[in-house]
């Protein structure tokens, strides 16, 4: 149903893409559009490296997807998008006024399913361990620095969580404690995610048993 209404082969997608293409052709020389294009290209080049191709078609498609996601987000939160001025809708001004941030993720979102909370905190303990970053680093693509850990981390021999496995339970317990400590932090989510990540990592690094947990992860993966 969603694919039929919004997918690349849908009538609505064709109309919207054609409209955006015409707007881009008419306004692409404006300084504000050129700056947006430059920042967009810089972000994707940092994330994708040599895989990224800076083309008009990709820029227009990405703009379409971001705007579509924003419209859907407004609808989910109960706004009548038909009554919102286009500029207000695209800029997300109603979210700002309501103090809502991070509603639309327009580039990357890491997610996964788990069979239980214990499995979730077990994986959190492993994925947040410095040892994992050190072990996965040779598998990651490089540019200015390492990138795309999501493409490499699951190449590591991370065992499926076993409820009856004492070693897995031994990882799950500190993983749950780390999750609670991180959740209790008062983070300003309007700040750059790199700074926020550094804050969380420093808290984890200073947690009781952090060194032991890191060694357990290293033994598990090597």
């Amino acid at each position: 149903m969603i694919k039929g209404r919004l997918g690349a082969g849908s009538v609505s997608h064709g109309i919207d893409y054609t409209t955006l293409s015409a707007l881009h052709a008419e306004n692409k020389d404006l300084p504000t559009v050129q700056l947006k294009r430059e920042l967009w290209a810089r972000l994707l080049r940092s994330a994708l490296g040599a895989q990224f191709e800076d083309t008009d078609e990709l820029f227009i498609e990405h703009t379409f997807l971001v705007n579509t996601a924003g419209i859907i987000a407004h609808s989910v939160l109960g706004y009548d998008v038909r009554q919102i001025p286009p500029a207000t809708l695209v800029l997300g001004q109603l979210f700002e006024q309501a103090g809502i941030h991070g509603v639309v993720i327009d580039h990357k979102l890491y997610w996964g399913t788990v069979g239980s909370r214990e499995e979730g905190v077990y994986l959190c303990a492993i994925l947040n361990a410095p040892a994992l970053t050190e072990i996965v680093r040779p598998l990651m693509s490089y540019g200015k620095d390492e990138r795309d850990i999501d493409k490499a981390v699951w190449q590591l021999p991370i065992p499926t969580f076993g409820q009856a496995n004492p070693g897995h339970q031994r990882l799950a317990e500190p993983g749950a404690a780390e999750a609670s400590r991180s959740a209790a932090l008062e983070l300003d989510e309007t700040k750059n995610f790199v700074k926020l990540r550094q804050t969380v990592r420093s808290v984890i690094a200073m947690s009781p048993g952090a060194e032991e947990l890191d060694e357990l992860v290293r033994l598990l993966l090597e």
Side-chain angles (χ1 to χ4, degrees):
M1 181 177 177
I2 294 176
K3 183 178 179 181
R5 292 188 177 184
L6 300 176
S10 67
V11 173
S12 62
H13 177 277
I15 294 172
D16 291 340
Y17 185 88
T18 300
T19 302
L20 281 174
S21 296
L23 289 170
H24 177 261
E26 183 179 345
N27 298 285
K28 64 182 180 181
D29 294 328
L30 292 175
T32 51
V33 176
Q34 291 179 341
L35 177 60
K36 176 66 175 179
R37 173 71 172 266
E38 180 185 344
L39 294 174
W40 168 82
R42 188 182 303 171
L43 173 64
L44 291 195
R45 191 175 291 111
S46 173
L48 302 177
Q51 303 175 51
F52 171 67
E53 295 183 17
D54 185 356
T55 65
D56 287 349
E57 291 76 15
L58 185 59
F59 178 64
I60 294 167
E61 186 70 35
H62 190 266
T63 301
F64 166 76
L65 291 174
V66 171
N67 288 339
T68 300
I71 292 169
I72 292 173
H74 281 82
S75 297
V76 169
L77 293 176
Y79 292 109
D80 185 349
V81 297
R82 296 168 297 182
Q83 304 300 321
I84 304 174
T88 301
L89 191 62
V90 170
L91 294 174
Q93 293 173 342
L94 294 179
F95 295 146
E96 292 290 336
Q97 293 171 13
I100 301 172
H101 305 283
V103 174
V104 179
I105 300 172
D106 63 6
H107 183 48
K108 287 188 176 182
L109 169 65
Y110 304 138
W111 67 279
T113 58
V114 293
S116 64
R117 174 174 170 76
E118 287 79 6
E119 181 182 8
V121 293
Y122 159 80
L123 289 174
C124 282
I126 295 172
L127 295 174
N128 286 294
L132 178 132
T133 303
E134 180 182 334
I135 294 169
V136 78
R137 186 167 283 137
L139 304 176
M140 296 167 64
S141 55
Y142 279 76
K144 179 181 177 182
D145 49 25
E146 301 98 339
R147 62 167 69 96
D148 295 328
I149 187 173
D150 55 306
K151 297 180 180 178
V153 69
W154 301 115
Q155 297 178 40
L156 298 179
I158 300 176
T160 301
F161 178 71
Q163 187 74 37
N165 187 311
H168 294 183
Q169 288 291 347
R170 192 177 175 189
L171 281 169
E173 291 173 6
E178 285 184 352
S180 296
R181 276 189 288 271
S182 298
L185 293 175
E186 295 185 2
L187 299 172
D188 182 354
E189 296 188 17
T190 65
K191 301 297 183 183
N192 183 277
F193 82 94
V194 175
K195 295 293 184 182
L196 298 179
R197 183 172 61 190
Q198 289 173 346
T199 300
V200 174
R201 282 179 172 175
S202 66
V203 169
I204 291 176
M206 293 185 293
S207 299
E211 291 185 7
E212 180 185 2
L213 175 59
D214 199 47
E215 185 59 28
L216 289 173
V217 172
R218 188 180 302 279
L219 292 172
L220 184 74
L221 299 179
E222 290 184 337

